[in-house]
Amino acid sequence: MHKKNKLFKNIWIIAFVIFTITVGCEDRNGITFPLESTPPVVNSTDPTNFATGVAINKNITVLFSEAIDATTLSTATFILKQGSITVPGVVLASGTSAIFIPSDNLSPNTTFTATITTGIKDLAHNAMAANYVWSFTTGATADITSPLVNFTDPLNAATNVIMNKIITVTFSKAMDVSTMATAFKLMQGTATIPGTVTYSGTTASFTPTSNLAPNTIYTGTVSTAAKDIAGNALSSNYVWNFTTGTTQDISAPTVILTDPLNIATGVVLTKKVSATFSEAIDASTITTATFTLMLSTTVISGTVSYSGLTAVFTPLSNLLPNTLYTATLTKSIKDLAGNAMASNYVWTFTTSAMPYTVSLSSSPAVGGTTNGGGAFDSGSSVTVTASPNTGYTFSNWTENGIIVSTNSSYQFTINGNRNLIANFMVASAQYSITLSSNPLVGGTTSGGGAFNSGSSVTVTAAPNAGYTFSNWTENGIIVSTNANYQFTIVQDRTLIANFITASAQYSITLSSNPLVGGTTSGGGSFNSGTLVTVTATPNAGYTFTSWTEGITIASSNANYTFTITGNKILVANFTASGPSGPASVNLGSAGNFAILAGSGVSNTGVTTRIYGDVGAFPTATINGLLAGNVIGILYTSADPLVGAAKNALTAAYNDAQARSLNAISLPGQLGGLTLAPGLYVNSTSTGISGTGANGILTLDAGGNPNAVWIFKMGSTLITSTGTSIVLAGGAKWSNIYWSVGTSATLGTNSIFYGNILADQSITLTTGATLRGRALTRIGTVTLDTNIVDKR
């Protein structure tokens, strides 16, 4: 795409952050306390190192271990190269993240190298200890998959929705925020409801200008104007309905966690003070006037930020050692519905003793530089690094004349002051490698420069379009026919990479129909006249039918071989095979219940909603769950009807555990998979973990509304934070059964579908949503601000 269009499309991803910080602070006695001195490190990259098949419209992102000074991030410190050619683009930064946005699409089927240099510094001006380098290889195509709506709040057909409700939509991937305002609408009949649209993470929120009308049907719509950051639009409008009740949210927000905890001791002097609330807060009410930190009667200067459910107070300078501080959140803080805190929230903590000092020096002084010294709290993990100057190599670290490490990067736990010396020695002789291309327009070379005698060196030749690599020559003699030529250097060398004109090339583009039916391989770019084989591999529940080119059947063989004489676009066609899964499990009267337990039900959070009956037998204890939380019957005693339902549950659980016909092996990690109907068996544990596409399990019915899945595991079922299940091809949650040998746990803010039949207990952590039933034979069902819907 055009450079300007691509930059405008991505510019919203990360805002610039420019923050100036003074190194060190002085207390009233004239003692100086240095700021945090740990160098930042790279925690993760996207794409990952050695990744393949990367989309050609990919933006390159890096996540650091701490917040980075945005003024140190640029195309000089965040570099992307194709061979020796620097890729043009822009670098944006925010907090702990940085992103490189190429000016145009990357070249297909090409290896790129990204570098984060030591010019990057954290907010305390600590530089990276060493350059961070990784590589990845592009595929042949851009990201063209349409985004999906994974979840709405309220759910479709929801009733008794509060009148001051904020309407949210969660997407399958990051969206272009600039498209949300026009794409996300709320209607009452033919009237458009006025309001504002905001966007964070993968969730868009619509806040009506005023309360919704009581007992009224509303329609939410996300139109095809909604696009992801690659410019892909929703494939069709997403429409759902809900009905309001007669009440609004009037509950006051509360503080559920602080860091440090109340009366904590030994708190580090660089501490940022944070508080987590029970619900989303109006960010405009979180200020330095409502979130304060004090030393006796003295107000500590600082800044306040808010994200998710957490507010953070960042002091402008280090805290004093061995000192009692008081933090306060005032009752002026309000939630999104305008409800204020019932009272001020106050807590105290005490800081740690004076930090220890790590002093660094070099021997000889011209031999190299050191990094990582400073002041640290007792018990801290410290890493110091030594970097030799030109003509020197690192030897060792010494302290009081004793060698303590021979690694240039030395890590230790500090429990006292330390005085370390980095020792360097004169490097061995160096030789130069000079590279050139023949013809000059034929391609590029990389890997030349100066090297120590005996070093292993690899030089690389990359042909330009219309050329192929032939050989490396030195003084007219061929020394290698490999584009990557490796050797040990013992003298100066002058090498020429020779290229020849390439024959015409054509591309083969492959796809699957339907997408979940199977996978394809063998596509790409090929010289004219090449014999090519493409392969179609069906997924479970599907069979291969044919290869088609346009409307013409090209082959009925899954392995299709042909000679390429032009560009080809081939589609592998698959059809659903056999019956759609096993027979369903008969829940009997247990099917009337959304929650059914053996030894009670426990709930935290006033906004929990259960659509269906709730009961426990023989222990009928119900804690924290009121009639207003349940749209159904709430049994608070050991009613015989609940006992009969428990007997039906036991029969259903035993039926599911006894299934074995046509069993399919159930992986331990289901994230990123698409599964057809069937009986899936695992003798131990299974679950969903990962992020992005790797945190989503797709269940595809292939168009059969009666498709059945039974997942049988010998031990636990555990899903991680933010993971989800997506139903496709007409799949229904009521035909999905999870037979759990021990206990099940659904992760924070996860989305789950199906009937959970657990032998022991079931836990839904904060914000988890279950479209189905939570039924356990022996233990408890534990809830925390959840939605469980069996309708």
Side-chain angles (χ1 to χ4, degrees):
M1 67 178 68
H2 191 276
K3 173 180 179 180
K4 182 178 294 184
N5 291 339
K6 181 172 177 64
L7 293 182
F8 286 165
K9 185 173 293 296
N10 291 281
I11 201 71
W12 64 271
I13 300 174
I14 301 177
F16 283 105
V17 177
I18 302 178
F19 186 89
T20 303
I21 188 166
T22 302
V23 179
C25 64
E26 186 173 286
D27 73 359
R28 290 168 292 181
N29 298 315
I31 300 174
T32 298
F33 299 97
L35 291 178
E36 180 272 327
S37 57
T38 303
V41 297
V42 174
N43 277 351
S44 62
T45 64
D46 181 22
T48 57
N49 194 22
F50 303 124
T52 58
V54 175
I56 60 175
N57 56 346
K58 184 71 174 177
N59 294 326
I60 317 305
T61 59
V62 174
L63 183 64
F64 295 92
S65 60
E66 57 181 307
I68 297 299
D69 182 351
T71 63
T72 67
L73 275 159
S74 68
T75 52
T77 57
F78 190 163
I79 305 165
L80 184 65
K81 286 191 173 185
Q82 176 188 341
S84 60
I85 301 175
T86 299
V87 177
V90 297
V91 175
L92 303 178
S94 177
T96 60
S97 300
I99 183 168
F100 181 95
I101 305 174
S103 300
D104 207 342
N105 283 353
L106 303 176
S107 299
N109 301 312
T110 302
T111 298
F112 290 83
T113 301
T115 302
I116 300 295
T117 76
T118 55
I120 291 176
K121 299 179 180 179
D122 63 18
L123 298 180
H125 301 294
N126 301 305
M128 293 268 295
N131 288 357
Y132 186 91
V133 183
W134 78 103
S135 63
F136 60 88
T137 303
T138 54
T141 60
D143 177 11
I144 59 172
T145 58
S146 296
L148 302 172
V149 173
N150 278 351
F151 183 71
T152 64
D153 181 21
L155 295 170
N156 187 34
T159 57
N160 292 318
V161 175
I162 59 175
M163 295 187 294
N164 57 345
K165 183 69 176 177
I166 294 176
I167 318 304
T168 64
V169 176
T170 301
F171 296 91
S172 59
K173 56 169 136 176
M175 303 294 288
D176 181 349
V177 67
S178 66
T179 67
M180 289 295 101
T182 56
F184 192 173
K185 301 293 183 184
L186 184 65
M187 307 279 290
Q188 193 269 306
T190 58
T192 300
I193 304 301
T196 58
V197 177
T198 57
Y199 183 82
S200 177
T202 58
T203 299
S205 301
F206 179 90
T207 304
T209 302
S210 58
N211 282 357
L212 304 178
N215 298 318
T216 303
I217 297 176
Y218 288 87
T219 300
T221 301
V222 181
S223 73
T224 54
K227 298 180 180 180
D228 63 21
I229 59 176
N232 304 306
L234 259 68
S235 59
S236 61
N237 290 353
Y238 188 92
V239 183
W240 80 105
N241 300 289
F242 62 88
T243 305
T244 54
T246 58
T247 62
Q248 57 181 313
D249 179 11
I250 58 173
S251 60
T254 59
V255 177
I256 60 175
L257 179 68
T258 63
D259 181 21
L261 297 172
N262 189 30
I263 321 179
T265 59
V267 176
V268 297
L269 307 186
T270 55
K271 188 66 177 178
K272 295 180 181 180
V273 183
S274 67
T276 301
F277 296 90
S278 59
E279 58 181 306
I281 297 297
D282 181 351
S284 67
T285 68
I286 302 290
T287 68
T288 53
T290 60
F291 189 170
T292 61
L293 183 66
M294 300 189 71
L295 189 166
S296 185
T297 59
T298 302
V299 177
I300 304 302
S301 298
T303 61
V304 173
S305 61
Y306 177 77
S307 178
L309 299 178
T310 301
V312 178
F313 180 94
T314 304
L316 292 185
S317 57
N318 278 7
L319 303 178
L320 300 179
N322 287 324
T323 302
L324 177 69
Y325 286 87
T326 301
T328 302
L329 297 165
T330 74
K331 59 183 180 181
S332 298
I333 294 174
K334 299 179 181 181
D335 63 16
L336 296 177
N339 304 307
M341 289 179 57
S343 60
N344 290 355
Y345 188 91
V346 182
W347 75 103
T348 63
F349 60 88
T350 303
T351 52
S352 63
M354 181 81 71
Y356 292 117
T357 300
V358 177
S359 299
L360 306 178
S361 60
S362 300
S363 177
V366 297
T369 58
T370 60
N371 188 277
F376 303 89
D377 291 319
S378 178
S380 297
S381 178
V382 178
T383 300
V384 295
T385 57
S387 303
N389 289 331
T390 302
Y392 289 85
T393 60
F394 172 77
S395 177
N396 53 53
W397 288 99
T398 57
E399 185 173 21
N400 299 323
I402 300 173
I403 295 176
V404 293
S405 177
T406 56
N407 293 322
S408 60
S409 181
Y410 171 35
Q411 184 177 20
F412 55 89
T413 300
I414 189 168
N415 53 20
N417 294 329
R418 301 201 63 175
N419 189 357
L420 301 170
I421 299 174
N423 298 284
F424 302 92
M425 58 184 183
V426 177
S428 60
Q430 285 199 325
Y431 296 106
S432 64
I433 299 175
T434 303
L435 306 178
S436 62
S437 299
N438 177 38
L440 186 62
V441 296
T444 58
T445 59
S446 62
F451 301 88
N452 290 334
S453 176
S455 297
S456 178
V457 178
T458 300
V459 294
T460 301
N464 289 331
Y467 289 85
T468 59
F469 172 77
S470 176
N471 53 53
W472 288 99
T473 57
E474 185 173 21
N475 298 322
I477 300 173
I478 295 176
V479 293
S480 178
T481 56
N482 292 323
N484 295 307
Y485 172 33
Q486 185 176 18
F487 54 88
T488 299
I489 188 169
V490 294
Q491 62 184 18
D492 293 333
R493 299 194 65 175
T494 300
L495 299 170
I496 299 174
N498 299 283
F499 302 92
I500 57 176
T501 304
S503 59
Q505 281 201 326
Y506 297 107
S507 64
I508 300 174
T509 304
L510 307 178
S511 62
S512 298
N513 177 38
L515 185 63
V516 298
T519 58
T520 60
S521 61
S525 297
F526 302 89
N527 292 333
S528 177
T530 301
L531 191 66
V532 178
T533 298
V534 294
T535 301
T537 305
N539 289 332
Y542 290 85
T543 57
F544 171 77
T545 303
S546 63
W547 286 101
T548 54
E549 186 172 9
I551 61 174
T552 303
I553 296 178
S555 176
S556 58
N557 293 323
N559 295 308
Y560 172 32
T561 301
F562 55 90
T563 299
I564 188 168
T565 57
N567 296 328
K568 295 179 79 70
I569 300 176
L570 297 171
V571 178
N573 300 283
F574 303 92
T575 56
S577 60
S580 294
S584 62
V585 178
N586 184 4
L587 297 178
S589 62
N592 296 326
F593 288 79
I595 304 290
L596 181 59
S599 57
V601 178
S602 175
N603 172 61
T604 301
V606 297
T607 60
T608 293
R609 290 292 181 271
I610 311 299
Y611 297 89
D613 296 348
V614 178
F617 190 93
T619 303
T621 305
I622 305 293
N623 290 322
L625 200 61
L626 303 176
N629 300 113
V630 180
I631 295 83
I633 301 173
L634 176 60
Y635 292 92
T636 57
S637 62
D639 193 290
L641 289 175
V642 184
K646 275 293 301 302
N647 291 336
L649 168 60
T650 298
Y653 173 82
N654 290 338
D655 174 23
Q657 284 288 312
R659 298 292 182 96
S660 61
L661 183 64
N662 299 323
I664 304 168
S665 177
L666 176 64
Q669 153 60 1
L670 303 180
L673 301 180
T674 296
L675 300 181
L679 170 64
Y680 294 86
V681 178
N682 185 322
S683 62
T684 55
S685 299
T686 193
I688 307 173
S689 60
T691 59
N694 290 329
I696 300 173
L697 166 63
T698 301
L699 302 180
D700 190 343
N704 188 342
N706 299 314
V708 174
W709 289 261
I710 297 178
F711 298 94
K712 184 178 76 171
M713 61 222 67
S715 185
T716 58
L717 167 66
I718 300 174
T719 70
S720 298
T721 298
T723 56
S724 61
I725 294 177
V726 173
L727 304 185
K732 296 180 180 178
W733 69 261
S734 55
N735 290 337
I736 304 168
Y737 301 89
W738 301 86
S739 182
V740 183
T742 56
S743 299
T745 301
L746 304 187
T748 301
N749 295 326
S750 61
I751 301 171
F752 199 82
Y753 287 86
N755 302 282
I756 304 175
L757 284 62
D759 184 62
Q760 300 295 320
S761 64
I762 298 175
T763 300
L764 278 68
T765 56
T766 307
T769 297
L770 170 61
R771 187 70 193 276
R773 301 178 175 92
L775 313 174
T776 179
R777 296 180 58 248
I778 297 173
T780 61
V781 174
T782 302
L783 307 170
D784 183 357
T785 316
N786 309 115
I787 295 174
V788 181
D789 189 351
K790 81 162 195 71
R791 293 173 299 174

